[in-house]
Amino acid sequence: MVLPLVLILVAAVEKSLAAASIEDWQRLSVALNGRLHSALPLSSPCFPIVNGLSNTVNETACATIQAGYSSPALRSLQFSAFMQPQWETCQSKEEKCLLDASNPENSAAWTDNDCQQGSIPQYYVISGDVQDAFKFSAETGVPLSIKNSGHDYKGRSSLKGSLGLWACSNVTYERAITMGAGVTFESLYAFANENNVTVIGAYHQTVGPSGGWVMGGGHSVLSPVYGLGVDRVLQFKLVTPDGVYRTANAFKNSDLFWALRGGGGGSFGVVLESTMLAEPAMRLQVASISLNGTSETAPEFLKLIVEHSFRWGTEGWGGHMTPSSIINVTPLLTFEEATKSVQSITDYALAHNGTAVVEELPSWQVFFSKYVLDAEGAVGNELLLASRLIPSSLFTTEEGQAKVTNLLVNMVQQYKSSPYIRLGTPFLFHGPANATSVTPAWRNSLWHVSGNTNFTYSSTVATIEEHYKIANKIGQLMRDVAPYSGAYVNEANVHEPDHEVSFWGPNYPALLAIKKKYDPHSLLDCWQCVGWKGPNDARYSCYL
């Protein structure tokens, strides 16, 4: 890092890092032999004014960003990029540096608009320097933020005025697979396929298997049979906030291991490496069925999904479903059994000019390449979520099925929010009792359902606040149907009510005690995480 650049950035950006002097940052840079990195917003090359200073527009770099603005591959490789770009901004103060996701070449985004730092940390280190970062934070009071691949619907990986910690590393295999914190599922799946094994993982190429995915629970379309990510992780290696490098597994630092298996990322330390159980290579039956959804077909299609979901759960099906499509897989059925299992929904789709494919594929990698890359969640757009785990018991009676169907239809009709349904709970998996710290609601639920509401790069604070209200109302619809269930900490409403109970249930007191043991001075704190200091803490001034 070039020290004059530090001086320029500190002078240019609002003094949110007042806890550290310029001399403090210089000493850290020297201690790290120049490995203290500076960061500007992703889209800054397109803007003529950046953080109040004149900036020469870099046409080449700007064109690259415009071309890849909605690309998870580009965003996962940039420290200052997040999959939902509102978390790059300071929403409450409208400090931002965004392009128009619907048309990144729209010059209105940068014409007469300054590029502002927002919630992007001005400086960051990579995972090899975590111990120095903890020491610096303890000495100066500068908060820390931890980023893996930027898949975070709640803004926990960015923080205005923080020192960023960016995870990156590699992968090895010895019956179980060991991977560094920066490895993505796309590279992990390819590695596993080369070694003739299967990894149970996420439905997106750039999610990090050693990051918040596994520490928050980690669902997969194979979870109904093989369990959540927390059920399959065997060991973590991490640096805790006291600067100690630790190994956590069932035999060593077992309390910390339990906390990391569901307590969420960004709370107990910085994970540098995890080891996950692998499965043998497996053949999969796939059902990909869709139609052009309308206001007439959506309720009927959703009703069919609800009626058949419990049986599908017993048959090992997992997948992602909407009011007009399903892409489900099972490792337990034959091709003939799979075809029969989805026949009724196949018939409905074909009767409404839809398409239906049921096929057997030779491996997870083939399924991932053929289906997931086209179906994974979009990035580069501003959105808010609400979600709920839907208990299995609701699917076993006509009354319960009617409640679930009405929930889904009301989401569409009242709030124009398309329900996104994941058959991704550990429905058939039976692991040791209390081995993980996720909410027990995962163990008695069949579905994880979410709805969303979208705004744009140019939305005002007032408009964004209205979308938060919509997300809250969608969440309340779900809680009315499943009041005693919970939600997935990684894919939940930013303002999840009673979040300690919703995310962790009876496990929260034990998690909080472990948090205080390993982080007594609360060096790590993030929104609605274990030990959260609350919305009035100064570090959350950018939230609405």
Side-chain angles (χ1 to χ4, degrees):
M1 180 179 184
V2 181
L3 290 180
L5 180 57
V6 176
L7 301 178
I8 292 171
L9 282 171
V10 170
V13 182
E14 178 183 347
K15 294 180 180 179
S16 56
L17 298 186
S21 66
I22 293 176
E23 290 75 19
D24 290 328
W25 291 107
Q26 289 175 323
R27 281 193 293 270
L28 179 60
S29 180
V30 170
L32 295 174
N33 293 318
R35 296 191 303 277
L36 178 63
H37 306 278
S38 61
L40 291 172
L42 173 69
S43 302
S44 60
C46 301
F47 284 73
I49 299 178
V50 177
N51 291 328
L53 298 176
S54 296
N55 178 55
T56 301
V57 173
N58 186 326
E59 300 289 352
T60 301
C62 180
T64 299
I65 293 163
Q66 290 170 334
Y69 197 70
S70 298
S71 165
L74 180 142
R75 287 184 169 269
S76 68
L77 295 176
Q78 305 294 324
F79 170 76
S80 59
F82 292 80
M83 298 303 162
Q84 267 60 59
Q86 73 262 28
W87 300 118
E88 300 167 17
T89 77
C90 182
Q91 297 176 58
S92 64
K93 300 178 181 179
E94 296 192 63
E95 295 175 359
K96 54 192 174 182
C97 186
L98 302 178
L99 302 185
D100 180 354
S102 64
N103 177 17
E105 296 182 1
N106 181 3
S107 61
W110 59 82
T111 301
D112 299 324
N113 291 317
D114 291 2
C115 169
Q116 296 172 295
Q117 192 77 13
S119 289
I120 302 299
Q122 297 161 32
Y123 312 107
Y124 69 94
V125 299
I126 61 174
S127 51
D129 294 316
V130 168
Q131 289 170 300
D132 290 287
F134 274 125
K135 180 180 178 182
F136 178 79
S137 178
E139 292 175 347
T140 64
V142 172
L144 300 174
S145 57
I146 306 171
K147 182 192 177 191
N148 189 341
S149 60
H151 285 267
D152 185 359
Y153 290 105
K154 301 186 71 173
R156 298 163 298 178
S157 302
S158 60
L159 181 64
K160 184 181 181 70
S162 66
L163 171 61
L165 308 178
W166 194 20
C168 51
S169 211
N170 56 10
V171 59
T172 59
Y173 169 63
E174 292 181 11
R175 291 185 290 185
I177 291 184
T178 297
M179 68 223 75
V183 171
T184 64
F185 269 114
E186 182 173 39
S187 59
L188 179 59
Y189 291 150
F191 180 88
N193 190 63
E194 292 170 1
N195 288 273
N196 202 34
V197 295
T198 303
V199 169
I200 312 305
Y203 205 73
H204 202 290
Q205 66 197 72
T206 57
V207 170
S210 291
W213 177 83
V214 66
M215 286 181 276
H219 65 68
S220 167
V221 298
L222 296 177
S223 288
V225 177
Y226 297 103
L228 299 169
V230 289
D231 297 315
R232 306 187 59 79
V233 66
L234 302 175
Q235 179 172 279
F236 292 100
K237 292 186 177 180
L238 70 156
V239 177
T240 46
D242 55 6
V244 177
Y245 181 79
R246 301 179 190 272
T247 297
N249 54 42
F251 308 101
K252 189 173 185 179
N253 296 311
S254 58
D255 59 341
L256 184 57
F257 183 53
W258 179 82
L260 292 167
R261 297 175 78 185
S267 293
F268 303 96
V270 179
V271 169
L272 306 179
E273 176 184 296
S274 71
T275 299
M276 185 183 300
L277 183 67
E279 295 292 329
M282 62 182 72
R283 303 184 73 81
L284 296 170
Q285 309 303 326
V286 181
S288 176
I289 302 167
S290 65
L291 70 161
N292 292 322
T294 66
S295 58
E296 289 75 29
T297 61
E300 296 174 355
F301 194 79
L302 289 169
K303 185 172 184 291
L304 276 174
I305 288 174
V306 172
E307 289 175 349
H308 292 285
S309 279
F310 191 86
R311 175 176 55 79
W312 288 344
T314 66
E315 296 170 341
W317 287 101
H320 291 229
M321 305 182 290
T322 75
S324 60
S325 68
I326 70 169
I327 301 178
N328 291 355
V329 301
T330 175
L332 301 185
L333 301 182
T334 65
F335 171 74
E336 291 75 19
E337 291 169 336
T339 302
K340 181 179 179 181
S341 176
V342 297
Q343 191 62 55
S344 60
I345 201 162
T346 295
D347 292 341
Y348 183 86
L350 294 178
H352 291 81
N353 299 316
T355 61
V357 175
V358 181
E359 62 178 332
E360 181 175 292
L361 296 180
S363 68
W364 169 263
Q365 182 67 15
V366 174
F367 168 73
F368 177 78
S369 300
K370 184 172 182 178
Y371 288 101
V372 177
L373 293 178
D374 289 333
E376 64 189 12
V379 305
N381 56 330
E382 295 81 7
L383 65 83
L384 300 169
L385 288 181
S387 72
R388 200 71 174 165
L389 293 164
I390 307 300
S392 306
S393 59
L394 287 171
F395 296 86
T396 60
T397 66
E398 290 184 2
E399 180 184 5
Q401 290 180 8
K403 288 182 179 179
V404 176
T405 301
N406 289 337
L407 163 66
L408 304 176
V409 173
N410 286 338
M411 289 172 62
V412 175
Q413 295 181 346
Q414 290 186 37
Y415 301 110
K416 294 181 174 57
S417 178
S418 179
Y420 198 80
I421 304 162
R422 299 163 190 82
L423 270 171
T425 65
F427 185 71
L428 297 179
F429 179 83
H430 301 290
N434 303 316
T436 71
S437 52
V438 294
T439 171
W442 276 106
R443 309 298 174 183
N444 55 29
S445 295
L446 179 62
W447 282 7
H448 163 48
V449 178
S450 66
N452 69 73
T453 178
N454 296 76
F455 51 98
T456 71
Y457 79 101
S458 59
S459 294
T460 63
V461 167
T463 298
I464 298 173
E465 286 177 334
E466 288 302 312
H467 284 279
Y468 273 101
K469 292 177 182 177
I470 292 172
N472 293 340
K473 291 176 181 178
I474 294 171
Q476 188 58 52
L477 283 179
M478 297 178 180
R479 288 189 294 276
D480 289 343
V481 172
Y484 305 109
S485 186
Y488 180 30
V489 63
N490 287 337
E491 297 172 1
N493 187 352
V494 174
H495 296 288
E496 181 71 24
D498 200 10
H499 70 279
E500 299 95 337
V501 174
S502 185
F503 299 152
W504 299 290
N507 294 326
Y508 187 76
L511 284 167
L512 184 58
I514 296 168
K515 166 73 171 176
K516 291 179 179 178
K517 174 182 175 180
Y518 289 97
D519 187 13
H521 303 295
S522 297
L523 290 184
L524 294 178
D525 192 70
C526 54
W527 185 270
Q528 291 196 341
C529 295
V530 173
W532 182 42
K533 295 177 181 178
N536 295 325
D537 187 272
R539 72 183 67 197
Y540 303 115
S541 62
C542 288
Y543 277 74
L544 291 175

